[in-house]
Structure formats: C-alpha cells, structure tokens
Amino acid sequence: MNSDSAAERVDTTKPHPARRYDYWLGGKDNFAADRESADAVAEAFPTVQLAAVENRNFLRRAVAYLTGEARIRQFLDIGTGLPTAGNVHEIAQGIAPESRIVYVDNDPIVLVHARHLLDSAPQGATAYLDADLRDPRHILEHPDLLSTIDLSKPVALMVVAVAHFMTDDQQPYELIRTLTDALAPGSYLVMSHATNDYMDEHDLARSAEANSRSGVPFQLRSGAEFAKFFDGFNLVPPGITAVTLWRPEEYRPHPRPEAVSMLGAVARIP
C-alpha cells in the first residue's frame, strides 16, 4: 500500500463521493471540484449535510448493535470514505477488541489516509483494500481480505450510503448479491440509501437537475426498490426505516424523515 503513488493518482478536477461526503461532514480532505459538486446538490436538497451526519450516526448504531447484541466480530466496510471519528473498527473494537475489519474504497486520497484505518487494537486486525464495489470478485479474492477475515464465519457487510452512486445499468442488486452469496450463514447486510419516498414531482425534478450538474452519478430509490437488496434475508427490527429512526439510542427531537431522505436497514443472512 503505497500512499505516495496513491497521492499521484488523485484527480482534483473531478468530484468524488468520498471527498464530497468529507466536505459535508466538515472535513478538510476535499478540493474545489468536490465542494462545487456538493454545493450543487445542496441547492436542491439544503439539508444534505444533516443527512450525511445522520447517516454516520446510523452506521455507528448498526455497528454497535452487531458487535454488542449480534456478537459479530468481522466486518467488511465497502465505500469506507475518508477516515473520521467513529470508524467501524473504533466502534467495534471499543466493544470487542478482537474484532477484525476490512475497509474498501476506490478513491486514492482515502488510501493516502488509510493508516488511520489500520490503527487496530492489538487483539484484532484491520486491512484496507484499494478496490471498487463494481468488481466484487476482486474484493472477495483479495489476499489482504482473506488474511484478515474468515469468510467461513459470519461477516457484517457494510454498504452505507454507497449504492445510490450506482445507476441501474451498473447492476447494483447483482453486485450486492455476489458479495452476500459469498458470506457464511449468520452474516449481516447493513445498507443505507438516499430515497425519493418523501419527494414530490417538483423535488424530484430539482434533485435530478442538481445531481446532473454535480458530475457524480446518482440514483434515488424508493423504499420498495431499496427492499429488493434484502430479498430472502431476515430484517432486524425495526426493518426498513428512515436512518434517524433505526434503533435510536434515546429520545431527542429527530429531524423529519423528509429532511434526511435516507433509508437504512440491517438484515441477517440465513
């Protein structure tokens, strides 16, 4: 893993979802093209920064549930994004230090900072793959993955705020199913996804135009379309819901679901 060569591959002229997300979360590892793209989206969806924060909170609660209650000790986090507070290994190893995590992302700048993702508890392990969800076989057969997690034992597959960057022609359902088919019974699929369930025709038109200007492929999906990712799996209560409403830790004035427009779910693979 050569961070110097990765830095040379960073294209600062084109926006990337990981860096755009970093901008919304208040990070500093983004460039003008990322900020322009993010602002274009925010014009049509002004609460997008709130959505990014609440999506991160969903990830934290899901990992805590899987580690603490479901007793999962292996995680495959695809579309990791730039390291920030509360990465999967920090949450999981804070509960079970022996947890093992493999991170996957395709943005070279994430690779530059991957050392922060590899700061594992000594009882566990972490690895980072410079790979792409659109090539699931490469991920599954990667020697660093195979030396870090045991696919014959349950794994939590995390695909959080990623699938909406794949349009239907990229066969997202088939890609996710290739990954879940490789996992042992008792594994879990964790996903969140931007939705059009709360949008009227005017909102949809503005969103489509903004996403076109943003330069990042993007596809909203309905709750029914999102549910297809979980066909045949056992949804953990409360099932498919707004990310803000998935096992909230305590009562607080949650933002309205339409202000976040993100669905989330966790399901057990039988």
Side-chain angles (χ1 to χ4, degrees), residues 50 54 57 61 243-257 259-260:
L50 174 64
E54 291 297 340
N57 289 337
R61 297 195 305 274
V243 291
T244 52
L245 301 178
W246 195 90
R247 293 179 172 251
E249 292 156 335
E250 59 185 21
Y251 175 78
R252 63 184 178 87
H254 283 295
R256 293 173 294 117
V260 176

mmCIF file of all heavy atoms in Angstrom, residues 50 54 57 61 243-257 259-260:
data_model
loop_
_atom_site.group_PDB
_atom_site.id
_atom_site.type_symbol
_atom_site.label_atom_id
_atom_site.label_comp_id
_atom_site.label_asym_id
_atom_site.label_seq_id
_atom_site.Cartn_x
_atom_site.Cartn_y
_atom_site.Cartn_z
ATOM 1 N N LEU A 50 -27.080 17.553 6.966
ATOM 2 C CA LEU A 50 -27.756 16.851 8.053
ATOM 3 C C LEU A 50 -27.905 15.374 7.705
ATOM 4 O O LEU A 50 -27.713 14.492 8.552
ATOM 5 C CB LEU A 50 -29.128 17.478 8.296
ATOM 6 C CG LEU A 50 -30.032 16.774 9.308
ATOM 7 C CD1 LEU A 50 -29.418 16.804 10.697
ATOM 8 C CD2 LEU A 50 -31.417 17.422 9.314
ATOM 9 N N GLU A 54 -26.544 12.251 9.930
ATOM 10 C CA GLU A 54 -27.454 11.228 10.446
ATOM 11 C C GLU A 54 -27.132 9.854 9.872
ATOM 12 O O GLU A 54 -27.318 8.831 10.542
ATOM 13 C CB GLU A 54 -28.907 11.610 10.158
ATOM 14 C CG GLU A 54 -29.393 12.814 10.948
ATOM 15 C CD GLU A 54 -29.397 12.564 12.453
ATOM 16 O OE1 GLU A 54 -29.390 11.396 12.878
ATOM 17 O OE2 GLU A 54 -29.418 13.545 13.220
ATOM 18 N N ASN A 57 -24.420 8.535 11.947
ATOM 19 C CA ASN A 57 -24.952 8.077 13.230
ATOM 20 C C ASN A 57 -25.595 6.701 13.089
ATOM 21 O O ASN A 57 -25.498 5.861 13.996
ATOM 22 C CB ASN A 57 -25.964 9.084 13.774
ATOM 23 C CG ASN A 57 -25.321 10.368 14.254
ATOM 24 O OD1 ASN A 57 -24.134 10.390 14.588
ATOM 25 N ND2 ASN A 57 -26.085 11.449 14.282
ATOM 26 N N ARG A 61 -24.642 3.221 15.179
ATOM 27 C CA ARG A 61 -25.594 2.407 15.931
ATOM 28 C C ARG A 61 -25.660 0.984 15.394
ATOM 29 O O ARG A 61 -25.793 0.022 16.166
ATOM 30 C CB ARG A 61 -26.986 3.052 15.913
ATOM 31 C CG ARG A 61 -27.039 4.412 16.597
ATOM 32 C CD ARG A 61 -28.464 4.850 16.879
ATOM 33 N NE ARG A 61 -29.314 4.870 15.695
ATOM 34 C CZ ARG A 61 -29.424 5.878 14.850
ATOM 35 N NH1 ARG A 61 -28.687 6.985 15.035
ATOM 36 N NH2 ARG A 61 -30.240 5.828 13.826
ATOM 37 N N VAL A 243 -33.143 6.476 8.455
ATOM 38 C CA VAL A 243 -31.952 6.192 9.259
ATOM 39 C C VAL A 243 -32.053 6.790 10.656
ATOM 40 O O VAL A 243 -31.502 6.235 11.615
ATOM 41 C CB VAL A 243 -30.660 6.675 8.565
ATOM 42 C CG1 VAL A 243 -30.354 5.851 7.326
ATOM 43 C CG2 VAL A 243 -30.734 8.167 8.226
ATOM 44 N N THR A 244 -32.756 7.879 10.800
ATOM 45 C CA THR A 244 -32.902 8.506 12.117
ATOM 46 C C THR A 244 -33.743 7.660 13.064
ATOM 47 O O THR A 244 -33.645 7.816 14.288
ATOM 48 C CB THR A 244 -33.544 9.891 11.984
ATOM 49 O OG1 THR A 244 -34.750 9.754 11.215
ATOM 50 C CG2 THR A 244 -32.623 10.877 11.317
ATOM 51 N N LEU A 245 -34.560 6.783 12.516
ATOM 52 C CA LEU A 245 -35.499 6.005 13.324
ATOM 53 C C LEU A 245 -35.045 4.566 13.529
ATOM 54 O O LEU A 245 -35.761 3.781 14.146
ATOM 55 C CB LEU A 245 -36.895 6.021 12.671
ATOM 56 C CG LEU A 245 -37.511 7.417 12.472
ATOM 57 C CD1 LEU A 245 -38.857 7.301 11.779
ATOM 58 C CD2 LEU A 245 -37.635 8.145 13.797
ATOM 59 N N TRP A 246 -33.836 4.231 13.030
ATOM 60 C CA TRP A 246 -33.344 2.867 13.222
ATOM 61 C C TRP A 246 -32.658 2.784 14.591
ATOM 62 O O TRP A 246 -31.566 3.285 14.779
ATOM 63 C CB TRP A 246 -32.364 2.469 12.111
ATOM 64 C CG TRP A 246 -32.142 0.975 12.090
ATOM 65 C CD1 TRP A 246 -32.854 0.052 11.397
ATOM 66 C CD2 TRP A 246 -31.151 0.251 12.844
ATOM 67 N NE1 TRP A 246 -32.379 -1.217 11.660
ATOM 68 C CE2 TRP A 246 -31.343 -1.122 12.552
ATOM 69 C CE3 TRP A 246 -30.144 0.618 13.738
ATOM 70 C CZ2 TRP A 246 -30.540 -2.127 13.109
ATOM 71 C CZ3 TRP A 246 -29.356 -0.377 14.307
ATOM 72 C CH2 TRP A 246 -29.552 -1.733 13.984
ATOM 73 N N ARG A 247 -33.371 2.163 15.543
ATOM 74 C CA ARG A 247 -32.859 1.941 16.901
ATOM 75 C C ARG A 247 -32.224 3.191 17.524
ATOM 76 O O ARG A 247 -31.059 3.160 17.942
ATOM 77 C CB ARG A 247 -31.881 0.775 16.912
ATOM 78 C CG ARG A 247 -32.550 -0.559 16.613
ATOM 79 C CD ARG A 247 -31.593 -1.718 16.607
ATOM 80 N NE ARG A 247 -32.342 -2.965 16.502
ATOM 81 C CZ ARG A 247 -32.487 -3.865 17.483
ATOM 82 N NH1 ARG A 247 -31.907 -3.675 18.639
ATOM 83 N NH2 ARG A 247 -33.200 -4.959 17.298
ATOM 84 N N PRO A 248 -32.956 4.280 17.586
ATOM 85 C CA PRO A 248 -32.393 5.478 18.239
ATOM 86 C C PRO A 248 -32.047 5.171 19.677
ATOM 87 O O PRO A 248 -32.742 4.409 20.363
ATOM 88 C CB PRO A 248 -33.521 6.510 18.121
ATOM 89 C CG PRO A 248 -34.763 5.699 17.944
ATOM 90 C CD PRO A 248 -34.353 4.475 17.181
ATOM 91 N N GLU A 249 -30.951 5.750 20.143
ATOM 92 C CA GLU A 249 -30.456 5.410 21.480
ATOM 93 C C GLU A 249 -31.277 6.042 22.589
ATOM 94 O O GLU A 249 -31.395 5.500 23.685
ATOM 95 C CB GLU A 249 -28.985 5.843 21.590
ATOM 96 C CG GLU A 249 -28.083 5.003 20.681
ATOM 97 C CD GLU A 249 -26.802 5.725 20.306
ATOM 98 O OE1 GLU A 249 -26.813 6.971 20.334
ATOM 99 O OE2 GLU A 249 -25.823 5.049 20.002
ATOM 100 N N GLU A 250 -31.840 7.183 22.320
ATOM 101 C CA GLU A 250 -32.658 7.877 23.317
ATOM 102 C C GLU A 250 -33.536 8.864 22.582
ATOM 103 O O GLU A 250 -33.266 9.223 21.425
ATOM 104 C CB GLU A 250 -31.775 8.612 24.333
ATOM 105 C CG GLU A 250 -30.864 9.643 23.701
ATOM 106 C CD GLU A 250 -29.905 10.293 24.685
ATOM 107 O OE1 GLU A 250 -29.667 9.695 25.746
ATOM 108 O OE2 GLU A 250 -29.413 11.385 24.377
ATOM 109 N N TYR A 251 -34.591 9.277 23.238
ATOM 110 C CA TYR A 251 -35.471 10.234 22.581
ATOM 111 C C TYR A 251 -34.764 11.581 22.430
ATOM 112 O O TYR A 251 -34.126 12.080 23.347
ATOM 113 C CB TYR A 251 -36.763 10.449 23.358
ATOM 114 C CG TYR A 251 -37.591 11.539 22.719
ATOM 115 C CD1 TYR A 251 -38.337 11.276 21.578
ATOM 116 C CD2 TYR A 251 -37.552 12.840 23.213
ATOM 117 C CE1 TYR A 251 -39.058 12.284 20.957
ATOM 118 C CE2 TYR A 251 -38.270 13.860 22.600
ATOM 119 C CZ TYR A 251 -39.019 13.572 21.468
ATOM 120 O OH TYR A 251 -39.701 14.566 20.837
ATOM 121 N N ARG A 252 -34.892 12.141 21.265
ATOM 122 C CA ARG A 252 -34.468 13.515 21.028
ATOM 123 C C ARG A 252 -35.276 14.035 19.849
ATOM 124 O O ARG A 252 -35.879 13.247 19.124
ATOM 125 C CB ARG A 252 -32.957 13.611 20.741
ATOM 126 C CG ARG A 252 -32.480 12.905 19.495
ATOM 127 C CD ARG A 252 -30.953 12.983 19.380
ATOM 128 N NE ARG A 252 -30.447 12.275 18.219
ATOM 129 C CZ ARG A 252 -30.329 12.797 16.998
ATOM 130 N NH1 ARG A 252 -30.729 14.040 16.770
ATOM 131 N NH2 ARG A 252 -29.850 12.091 16.003
ATOM 132 N N PRO A 253 -35.300 15.309 19.637
ATOM 133 C CA PRO A 253 -36.086 15.847 18.520
ATOM 134 C C PRO A 253 -35.444 15.470 17.178
ATOM 135 O O PRO A 253 -34.617 16.197 16.636
ATOM 136 C CB PRO A 253 -36.049 17.361 18.746
ATOM 137 C CG PRO A 253 -35.581 17.548 20.140
ATOM 138 C CD PRO A 253 -34.714 16.370 20.453
ATOM 139 N N HIS A 254 -35.796 14.304 16.675
ATOM 140 C CA HIS A 254 -35.204 13.850 15.416
ATOM 141 C C HIS A 254 -35.636 14.757 14.277
ATOM 142 O O HIS A 254 -36.770 15.239 14.241
ATOM 143 C CB HIS A 254 -35.660 12.430 15.102
ATOM 144 C CG HIS A 254 -34.951 11.392 15.898
ATOM 145 N ND1 HIS A 254 -33.609 11.150 15.777
ATOM 146 C CD2 HIS A 254 -35.395 10.530 16.839
ATOM 147 C CE1 HIS A 254 -33.262 10.186 16.601
ATOM 148 N NE2 HIS A 254 -34.319 9.797 17.270
ATOM 149 N N PRO A 255 -34.755 14.955 13.305
ATOM 150 C CA PRO A 255 -35.191 15.649 12.094
ATOM 151 C C PRO A 255 -36.249 14.813 11.379
ATOM 152 O O PRO A 255 -36.277 13.587 11.484
ATOM 153 C CB PRO A 255 -33.902 15.750 11.266
ATOM 154 C CG PRO A 255 -33.011 14.682 11.802
ATOM 155 C CD PRO A 255 -33.344 14.560 13.243
ATOM 156 N N ARG A 256 -37.132 15.484 10.685
ATOM 157 C CA ARG A 256 -38.172 14.778 9.945
ATOM 158 C C ARG A 256 -37.527 13.851 8.909
ATOM 159 O O ARG A 256 -36.495 14.183 8.328
ATOM 160 C CB ARG A 256 -39.067 15.794 9.245
ATOM 161 C CG ARG A 256 -39.893 16.665 10.183
ATOM 162 C CD ARG A 256 -40.636 17.765 9.434
ATOM 163 N NE ARG A 256 -39.701 18.720 8.844
ATOM 164 C CZ ARG A 256 -39.568 18.936 7.536
ATOM 165 N NH1 ARG A 256 -40.288 18.251 6.683
ATOM 166 N NH2 ARG A 256 -38.713 19.832 7.089
ATOM 167 N N PRO A 257 -38.119 12.687 8.642
ATOM 168 C CA PRO A 257 -37.555 11.775 7.646
ATOM 169 C C PRO A 257 -37.304 12.443 6.295
ATOM 170 O O PRO A 257 -36.305 12.168 5.631
ATOM 171 C CB PRO A 257 -38.608 10.671 7.544
ATOM 172 C CG PRO A 257 -39.244 10.640 8.893
ATOM 173 C CD PRO A 257 -39.277 12.080 9.331
ATOM 174 N N ALA A 259 -36.393 15.412 5.784
ATOM 175 C CA ALA A 259 -35.228 16.294 5.843
ATOM 176 C C ALA A 259 -33.934 15.522 5.638
ATOM 177 O O ALA A 259 -32.905 16.111 5.285
ATOM 178 C CB ALA A 259 -35.187 17.030 7.183
ATOM 179 N N VAL A 260 -33.999 14.217 5.863
ATOM 180 C CA VAL A 260 -32.812 13.368 5.702
ATOM 181 C C VAL A 260 -32.904 12.533 4.428
ATOM 182 O O VAL A 260 -31.918 12.332 3.721
ATOM 183 C CB VAL A 260 -32.640 12.456 6.939
ATOM 184 C CG1 VAL A 260 -31.476 11.492 6.758
ATOM 185 C CG2 VAL A 260 -32.413 13.313 8.189
#
